[in-house]
């Protein structure tokens, strides 16, 4: 199963059991420029950006795939991995920092794993 499918299954599971509220963190990079520097050729489907600048979503390295809150107000950070996926050092560091600060934090490979993170079991 793809990580995106596991993320969706976790979000549905948590919502159905009223364990908390989770959001998906979409991250990425792209290019931007001033309005006058961007031209889109609709006929040839070509986007030209003069004087481009790299654009990042601004989330810190290692930020978890899912984040949110459980009843009582405690923050939640869940890194979602497939059965064979491994957390990067940045992801492990981020989860450790969040747990140290008092948040529920961990790696989940299934909705059941996520429930264990949220309930402390």
């Amino acid at each position: 199963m793809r990580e995106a499918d596991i993320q969706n299954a976790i979000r549905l599971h948590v919502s159905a059991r009223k364990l908390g509220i989770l959001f998906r963190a979409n991250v990425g990079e792209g290019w931007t420029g001033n309005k006058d520097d961007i031209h889109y050729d609709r006929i040839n489907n070509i986007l030209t950006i003069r004087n481009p600048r790299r654009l990042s979503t601004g989330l810190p390295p290692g930020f978890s795939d899912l984040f949110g809150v459980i009843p009582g107000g405690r923050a939640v950070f869940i890194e979602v991995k497939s059965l064979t996926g491994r957390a990067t050092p940045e992801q492990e560091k981020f989860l450790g920092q969040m747990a140290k600060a008092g948040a529920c934090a961990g790696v989940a490979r299934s909705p059941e794993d996520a429930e264990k993170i949220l309930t402390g079991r």
Side-chain angles (χ1 to χ4, degrees), residues 96-107:
Q97 290 174 325
M98 295 302 102
K100 186 176 179 182
C104 301
V107 175

Side-chain angles (χ1 to χ4, degrees), residues 61-79:
F63 194 91
S64 297
D65 295 313
L66 299 175
F67 67 99
V69 64
I70 60 172
R74 192 169 175 199
V76 175
F77 296 90
I78 299 174
E79 184 60 41

Side-chain angles (χ1 to χ4, degrees), residues 41-70:
D41 178 347
R42 295 177 196 274
I43 295 170
N44 297 308
N45 195 30
I46 297 172
L47 179 67
T48 304
I49 304 174
R50 292 178 190 84
N51 303 312
R53 295 182 312 278
R54 190 182 255 350
L55 173 70
S56 173
T57 60
L59 293 173
F63 194 91
S64 297
D65 295 313
L66 299 175
F67 67 99
V69 64
I70 60 172

Side-chain angles (χ1 to χ4, degrees), residues 29 32 34 96 104:
E29 290 184 337
T32 189
N34 295 328
C104 301

